[in-house]
């Protein structure tokens, strides 16, 4: 495991540390005293007299006010020291060091292809509004064109722009890879794990950072022509939710999810704040329809509050238009279906065996549909005209007809928990990367398997991917939890 998923497991192990404190001597001494007294009482029945002056003297010494005060202060020192270290570890890398390291990275980079262009890559891939009438096209035989191994794992999906593949890694770098050869051209250093997918706009690369223990994380902007750092936007939370860029009435804003610090609207050119809303814990990616920004909140590990809500905010001002309660936490971006906005829900940090796709009227916030899932919905919902496809933590993929919300089909795959999302290939097929097997190609109308791909022995083993398959003009791209980036065609 890696990134924020790894942190969630490691933090559980560290809970033991808080129990190992000096005052443990006090209860142990008390237990010793009681056991000695009991042994002495029993021994007298057999005419044996035991001496237990040692434990008695020990408890007397330990109960002195000075000893108790010292032990209490020492405990506080240990506890505050532990949390202090954890808090300091959550800070991002100093900006001056990022600038210095990135300058070295520019010097080390392979000279990009002359006049390489970087088209905007901000398309919402889970929204297919107008696909023409079709007959599902046959999937050609699949093979791996190349595999590039990064030093650490990858959580977010890759981003395609022109002839380049951009992918963030747990080693604190975002890599640019040539689509044709698989060669790493250069890296963009930000220091902490890059969990969200990168975003490309106006020859700028936008990168978020952080895990669930991170705070004061930033969104970084890099010049793709020179590789230089253009600037950074500071938050008080973690920016592991993928930034989302949209335009309304001539105003373009970058929407930054910042964990417990809420949601920001930022000018993508100047990286200046337009507005900020403290909504709760925001890890999901925003979505925009007309003048409204839609976002959901979830319950973070270690937080006592049980607040999970969906919000509609004004694009230009951030003013709340409506908010509604969700049955469970929302972690991924919503999807639009007709005049409804739908949020996938489910718990990650507490036991949960159910999920829901909760749909509301975009303008009023009135509940329109509630679709139950057998497990938390962690995959990004996919809308294909009048069909909605969802994937859940139990590796189940289901399709529903709209507006009836009738189930069309469901498929359950092997391999345990999966955080991956489904993708549409534009040819009538659903792509789903399973946890242990490979990529299944499913007919969007029936859910039947049309094709299956897994790497050959010589191509390296299949490893669980936390992201989706990204469809390019003539190939698919996917990155996995150990850092393998693959091109499949």
């Amino acid at each position: 495991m890696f990134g924020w998923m790894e942190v969630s497991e490691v933090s559980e192990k560290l809970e033991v540390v808080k129990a190992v404190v000096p005052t443990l001597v006090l209860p142990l001494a008390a237990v010793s005293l009681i056991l000695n007294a009991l042994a002495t009482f029993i021994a007298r029945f057999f005419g044996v007299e035991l001496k237990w002056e040692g434990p008695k003297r020990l408890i007397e010494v330990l109960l002195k006010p000075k000893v108790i005060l010292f032990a209490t202060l020492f405990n506080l020192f240990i506890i505050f020291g532990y949390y202090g270290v954890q808090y300091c570890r959550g800070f991002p890398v100093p900006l001056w060091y990022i600038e210095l390291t990135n300058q070295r990275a520019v010097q080390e980079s392979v000279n990009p292809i002359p006049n390489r262009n970087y088209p905007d890559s901000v398309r919402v891939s889970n929204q297919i509004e107008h696909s023409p009438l079709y007959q599902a096209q046959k999937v050609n035989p699949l093979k791996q064109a190349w595999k590039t191994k990064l030093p650490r794992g990858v959580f977010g999906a890759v981003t395609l722009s022109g002839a380049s593949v951009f992918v963030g890694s747990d080693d604190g770098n975002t890599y640019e890879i040539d689509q044709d050869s698989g060669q790493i051209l250069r890296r963009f250093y930000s220091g902490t794990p890059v969990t969200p997918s990168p975003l490309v706009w106006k020859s700028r690369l936008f990168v978020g950072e952080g895990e669930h223990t991170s705070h004061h994380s930033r969104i970084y902007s890099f010049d793709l022509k020179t590789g230089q750092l253009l600037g950074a936007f500071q938050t008080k939370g973690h920016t592991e939710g993928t930034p989302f860029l949209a335009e309304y009435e001539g105003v373009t804003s970058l929407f930054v999810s910042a964990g417990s610090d809420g949601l920001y609207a930022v000018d993508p050119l100047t990286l200046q704040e337009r507005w900020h809303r403290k909504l709760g814990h925001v890890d999901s990616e925003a979505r925009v329809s007309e003048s409204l920004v839609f976002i959901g909140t979830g319950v973070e590990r270690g937080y006592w509050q049980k607040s999970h809500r969906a919000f509609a905010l004004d694009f230009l001002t951030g003013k709340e238009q409506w908010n509604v309660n969700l049955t469970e936490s929302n972690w991924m971006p919503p999807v639009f279906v007709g005049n409804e906005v739908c949020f996938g829900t489910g718990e990650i940090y507490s036991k949960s065996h159910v999920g829901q796709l909760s749909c509301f009227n975009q303008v009023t916030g009135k509940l329109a549909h509630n679709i139950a899932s057998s497990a938390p919905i962690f995959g990004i919902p996919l809308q294909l005209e009048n069909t909605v496809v969802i994937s859940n933590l139990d590796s189940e993929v289901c399709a529903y007809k709209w507006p009836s919300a009738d189930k069309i089909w469901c498929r359950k795959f092997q391999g345990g928990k999966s955080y991956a999302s489904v993708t549409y290939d534009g040819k009538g097929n659903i792509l789903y990367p399973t946890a242990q097997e490979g990529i299944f190609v499913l007919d969007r109308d029936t859910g039947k398997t049309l094709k299956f791909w897994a790497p050959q022995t010589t191509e390296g083993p299949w490893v669980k991917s936390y992201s989706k398959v990204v469809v390019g003009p003539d190939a698919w791209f996917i990155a996995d939890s150990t850092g393998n980036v693959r091109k499949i065609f």
Side-chain angles (χ1 to χ4, degrees):
M1 299 293 285
F2 66 98
W4 64 264
M5 301 308 300
E6 179 184 44
V7 171
S8 66
E9 293 184 356
V10 173
S11 63
E12 289 180 343
K13 300 176 183 178
L14 291 177
E15 293 295 321
V16 180
V17 176
K18 292 183 280 186
V20 184
V21 292
T23 48
L24 194 60
V25 178
L26 290 172
L28 288 178
V31 170
S32 176
L33 184 66
I34 294 170
L35 290 176
N36 273 273
L38 182 61
T40 301
F41 176 75
I42 295 173
R44 284 180 179 175
F45 285 101
F46 298 95
V48 179
E49 185 174 348
L50 298 178
K51 293 185 179 181
W52 49 292
E53 191 66 22
K56 184 178 179 181
R57 293 285 301 276
L58 176 61
I59 197 72
E60 289 175 352
V61 171
L62 290 175
L63 288 177
K64 289 183 177 180
K66 290 183 179 180
V67 176
I68 294 176
L69 178 62
F70 174 79
T72 302
L73 293 175
F74 195 77
N75 266 279
L76 292 174
F77 175 79
I78 293 295
I79 293 171
F80 282 108
Y82 168 78
Y83 282 110
V85 169
Q86 298 305 311
Y87 184 79
C88 291
R89 289 177 62 182
F91 274 107
V93 174
L95 200 55
W96 65 265
Y97 185 78
I98 291 175
E99 293 176 341
L100 181 63
T101 306
N102 195 66
Q103 288 175 4
R104 291 200 298 266
V106 170
Q107 296 170 359
E108 298 167 359
S109 65
V110 175
N111 187 31
I113 299 173
N115 301 318
R116 176 167 290 216
N117 294 316
Y118 297 97
D120 294 350
S121 184
V122 295
R123 181 174 63 89
V124 181
S125 58
N126 68 325
Q127 205 76 35
I128 313 296
E129 290 286 0
H130 304 291
S131 68
L133 294 176
Y134 72 95
Q135 285 187 339
Q137 298 181 28
K138 183 178 179 181
V139 180
N140 296 323
L142 300 172
K143 59 181 179 180
Q144 181 172 288
W146 50 256
K147 181 188 72 173
T148 299
K149 180 69 171 67
L150 303 181
R152 297 284 299 277
V154 174
F155 185 81
V158 307
T159 297
L160 306 181
S161 177
S164 295
V165 180
F166 293 94
V167 58
S169 171
D170 210 35
D171 69 352
N173 290 288
T174 300
Y175 293 90
E176 180 181 0
I177 302 171
D178 183 72
Q179 277 200 35
D180 293 330
S181 66
Q183 180 185 23
I184 296 176
L185 301 177
R186 53 182 171 172
R187 63 187 177 94
F188 302 85
Y189 179 79
S190 54
T192 53
V194 182
T195 43
S197 298
L199 183 150
V200 176
W201 180 74
K202 291 190 179 297
S203 294
R204 289 171 166 82
L205 176 70
F206 295 91
V207 176
E209 65 177 347
E211 302 165 323
H212 276 211
T213 55
S214 303
H215 53 85
H216 291 81
S217 298
R218 309 182 185 102
I219 291 289
Y220 301 91
S221 175
F222 296 92
D223 187 337
L224 286 173
K225 295 298 183 182
T226 65
Q228 297 292 339
L229 177 69
L230 292 174
F233 177 77
Q234 182 81 59
T235 77
K236 294 181 181 178
H238 51 244
T239 55
E240 61 177 320
T242 298
F244 182 75
L245 191 142
E247 181 182 350
Y248 175 68
E249 291 190 350
V251 176
T252 302
S253 284
L254 183 69
F255 296 97
V256 177
S257 301
S260 59
D261 198 27
L263 181 71
Y264 288 87
V266 178
D267 184 326
L269 292 176
T270 65
L271 296 182
Q272 296 299 307
E273 178 185 320
R274 287 205 164 105
W275 52 259
H276 175 213
R277 289 302 307 274
K278 296 272 285 188
L279 306 172
H281 194 94
V282 180
D283 276 339
S284 62
E285 183 181 347
R287 286 290 185 265
V288 172
S289 177
E290 298 295 334
S291 63
L292 295 178
V293 181
F294 298 93
I295 195 76
T297 66
V299 178
E300 174 62 285
R301 175 185 292 276
Y303 282 65
W304 289 101
Q305 82 273 14
K306 297 295 181 182
S307 174
H308 18 66
R309 306 189 70 80
F311 293 85
L313 309 173
D314 182 85
F315 185 101
L316 298 176
T317 65
K319 183 179 179 181
E320 183 181 302
Q321 303 303 301
W322 55 258
N323 81 81
V324 294
N325 187 54
L326 297 173
T327 54
E328 292 187 300
S329 296
N330 169 247
W331 302 101
M332 289 295 168
V335 64
F336 301 117
V337 190
N339 64 349
E340 299 174 27
V341 56
C342 302
F343 297 82
T345 67
E347 297 304 334
I348 304 297
Y349 296 109
S350 60
K351 290 183 178 180
S352 175
H353 302 287
V354 296
Q356 279 191 335
L357 186 69
S358 299
C359 303
F360 307 91
N361 182 281
Q362 292 183 31
V363 177
T364 66
K366 183 179 179 180
L367 180 65
H369 289 93
N370 243 343
I371 297 176
S373 172
S374 61
I377 297 175
F378 198 80
I380 301 173
L382 176 68
Q383 177 262 329
L384 299 170
E385 293 180 327
N386 58 350
T387 302
V388 175
V389 185
I390 60 174
S391 56
N392 65 31
L393 271 180
D394 283 350
S395 299
E396 184 179 48
V397 179
C398 296
Y400 297 87
K401 202 74 174 175
W402 226 260
S404 66
D406 294 332
K407 184 186 295 184
I408 304 173
W409 54 263
C410 267
R411 289 287 307 276
K412 182 72 178 288
F413 298 92
Q414 302 298 317
K417 289 186 176 181
S418 174
Y419 300 89
S421 302
V422 294
T423 309
Y424 182 58
D425 71 346
K427 301 176 181 179
N429 308 307
I430 303 294
L431 311 182
Y432 182 63
T434 60
Q436 294 183 356
E437 298 171 287
I439 300 174
F440 279 85
V441 183
L442 310 176
D443 183 275
R444 87 174 203 179
D445 293 328
T446 66
K448 291 182 179 180
T449 299
L450 301 176
K451 197 81 177 178
F452 171 75
W453 179 84
Q456 301 295 319
T457 303
T458 56
E459 296 173 332
W462 174 258
V463 182
K464 177 187 289 189
S465 173
Y466 292 105
S467 65
K468 60 188 178 183
V469 179
V470 175
V471 178
D474 55 2
W476 304 342
F477 299 85
I478 190 166
D480 64 39
S481 58
T482 61
N484 293 310
V485 183
R486 304 176 191 264
K487 177 182 180 180
I488 306 159
F489 71 102

